[in-house]
Amino acid sequence: MSDTIWAKSPDALHRRGQTSLETPLESLDGYLTPADRFFVCNVTETQRIDPATYRLEIHGDAVAEPVTLTLEHLAAMPRHTVRSYLECAGNQRKLFGALQGQYVERTEGGEDVPWVLGGVGMAEWSGPRLRDVLALAGPCETMRWVAPLGLDIDNPECPIEIPMPVEKALHEDTILALTMNGAPLPADHGFPVRAIVPGWIGTYSVKWVGRITASAQEIRNYRTDEYYVIDGVTVTRQNVKSSLALPFPATMGPGPKRIHGYARSPDRPMRSVEWSANGGQSWQSADIISPNEPYGWVRFAFAWTATPGEHSLMTRATDEAGETQPVTCPFNPGTLLFNAIIAHPVTVAA
Ligand code: MTE
C-alpha cells in the first residue's frame, strides 16, 4: 500500500482496508474534527482535481437545459453553512463481531471497511445549496431523483453515484460544500466540491462531484439495491449512537478519570447521554460539554474512578424525540448501522 493513496499523512490515523483511514477518537478533544484527523472513506485513491479545469455538469431528463459550471461560478453563488457529523454506514461494524459474536467480514461484491469506532467525524461545511445549483438548469416538475456522481469513476467497484429522492435533494440543508471548517475542502474530503447530505449515511455525501443527474425516473444501482440495504430497504438515515473516545479495548492506570466520548442523533439535538459501569443495572447522567445541534454530534464527559481489574463502561444516548440505542443491534449481512449500547472493555492496571 502506498501513501500516495491519500493527500494527508495517514500517520495519525488507523489504516482500514486498502484505501480508508479511521480516526482514533481518543486523539480528539474538541467539537469539530480537524481535517488532518478526519476519517477518510475512499473506494479508490484520493482524486487530485485541477480547479482550473474542473467542471460540474447538471443534466438529465428532468432539467430544461443541461448546464456546465466552473468552480468560479459555484464559488460566486450564495453559501449555506451546515454543521454536520459524517459517519460511514459501516462504522462500528467490527462490533457485530466483538460484542455480539456475529460474522463480520464480507468479501464478495466488494470488501467491507473494517471500522471500529472512528469512521465518523464532525465538521462545518459551507457551499451553495444543491437546490440553487439545480435551479440553474431549469428543473422540471417531473423531477423525482437526483444523483451526484464522483469523479473517481475508474474505481474498481461501480461508480459512486448515489441517487436521493427529490425531497432530500431540495432540502435547505443539502449543500454542495466548497469548504470544511472554514478552509477549502482538502483533496481527501472531496476538493473542490462535495455533497453534504446531513443526517444520512456518509455515502450520500459524494466527494469530487463532477456530474449531477436529475431524473423523473427512479435511479437505482448496485449501491442502492445491494450494498446499502437492510431487509430489502435502501439505507438512508443514520441512527442514534454513542461511543467513548478511548481505544477499543482500552487500558489505563488506576485513579480518578474524566472519560469523554461522542454521541449523535442524525437530525435532532440530544436529550441525554448516560453511562454505566455495572453492566447497565444503573445509569448516571454524563455532562454534555459541547454545542447540541440538530445535525451535530455532542461531546460528553463523566468522572469515573478506575480501580485495578477488568471493567466494562457503557453509554446510552437518547435524542429529543426519545430515539435511543438498543441493547443489541439486529444483525444484517452488510453489517451496517451498528448502534447497540457499547460495552467498552477497559483494563485498569494495578
Ligand atoms: N465519494 C466518492 N466520490 N468516492 C468515495 O469513495 N466515499 C463515501 C462518501 N463519498 C466516497 C464518496 C463514503 S462511503 C463515506 S462514509 C464518505 O464519503 C466519507 O467522507 P470522508 O472520506 O470525507 O470522511
Side-chain angles (χ1 to χ4, degrees), residues 38-43 88 152 160 189 194 202 205 207-208:
F38 206 96
F39 83 103
V40 178
C41 185
N42 277 355
V43 295
C88 188
D152 46 348
I160 298 279
H189 301 291
R194 82 173 299 167
S205 292
K207 304 192 275 190
W208 316 296

Side-chain angles (χ1 to χ4, degrees), residues 21 38-44 47 86-90 115 119 121 125 149-152 155 160 162 180 188-190 194-195 201-209 223 228:
L21 297 170
F38 206 96
F39 83 103
V40 178
C41 185
N42 277 355
V43 295
T44 184
Q47 305 295 294
L86 190 62
E87 180 162 21
C88 188
W115 302 113
W125 314 94
L149 172 77
L151 288 169
D152 46 348
N155 71 56
I160 298 279
I162 313 288
M180 175 183 187
D188 293 315
H189 301 291
R194 82 173 299 167
I201 58 171
T203 193
Y204 285 91
S205 292
V206 174
K207 304 192 275 190
W208 316 296
V209 177
R223 292 178 194 283
Y228 293 105

Side-chain angles (χ1 to χ4, degrees), residues 49 140 145 273 321:
I49 310 277
C140 308
W145 290 84
V273 183

Side-chain angles (χ1 to χ4, degrees), residues 3-229:
D3 286 0
T4 59
I5 292 170
W6 308 284
K8 67 179 155 195
S9 165
D11 293 349
L13 299 113
H14 301 302
R15 293 167 188 241
R16 295 286 184 243
Q18 293 298 307
T19 49
S20 295
L21 297 170
E22 175 169 334
T23 304
L25 292 184
E26 64 276 16
S27 72
L28 305 182
D29 57 7
Y31 181 53
L32 300 182
T33 309
D36 63 353
R37 292 282 161 90
F38 206 96
F39 83 103
V40 178
C41 185
N42 277 355
V43 295
T44 184
E45 294 193 1
T46 285
Q47 305 295 294
R48 276 74 166 180
I49 310 277
D50 178 354
T53 56
Y54 170 81
R55 297 289 181 272
L56 173 61
E57 187 194 352
I58 319 288
H59 81 148
D61 60 41
V63 295
E65 190 70 44
V67 289
T68 301
L69 304 171
T70 63
L71 186 56
E72 288 69 30
H73 193 147
L74 290 165
M77 293 178 69
R79 294 190 190 191
H80 182 58
T81 298
V82 180
R83 297 215 288 193
S84 171
Y85 78 92
L86 190 62
E87 180 162 21
C88 188
N91 190 32
Q92 304 192 158
R93 67 158 43 97
K94 287 280 266 189
L95 303 185
F96 274 112
L99 297 179
Q100 300 190 175
Q102 291 160 322
Y103 173 74
V104 168
E105 308 294 327
R106 173 167 69 171
T107 47
E108 281 176 25
E111 224 175 72
D112 284 329
V113 182
W115 302 113
V116 188
L117 299 179
V120 59
M122 168 75 199
E124 182 176 285
W125 314 94
S126 189
R129 289 188 165 104
L130 178 54
R131 69 184 185 198
D132 292 345
V133 175
L134 288 168
L136 300 173
C140 308
E141 279 188 3
T142 53
M143 186 168 73
R144 291 290 170 270
W145 290 84
V146 176
L149 172 77
L151 288 169
D152 46 348
I153 293 166
D154 297 330
N155 71 56
E157 298 186 54
C158 73
I160 298 279
E161 181 173 40
I162 313 288
M164 64 186 119
V166 68
E167 295 75 23
K168 191 66 174 173
L170 299 186
H171 190 283
E172 61 173 357
D173 294 322
T174 299
I175 64 172
L176 291 178
L178 307 176
T179 69
M180 175 183 187
N181 295 341
L185 283 176
D188 293 315
H189 301 291
F191 178 83
V193 179
R194 82 173 299 167
I196 287 292
V197 184
W200 284 24
I201 58 171
T203 193
Y204 285 91
S205 292
V206 174
K207 304 192 275 190
W208 316 296
V209 177
R211 193 182 76 195
I212 299 175
T213 304
S215 180
Q217 320 302 325
E218 185 163 3
I219 306 170
R220 306 209 64 90
N221 59 32
Y222 161 75
R223 292 178 194 283
T224 56
D225 289 356
E226 289 178 44
Y227 204 85
Y228 293 105
V229 173

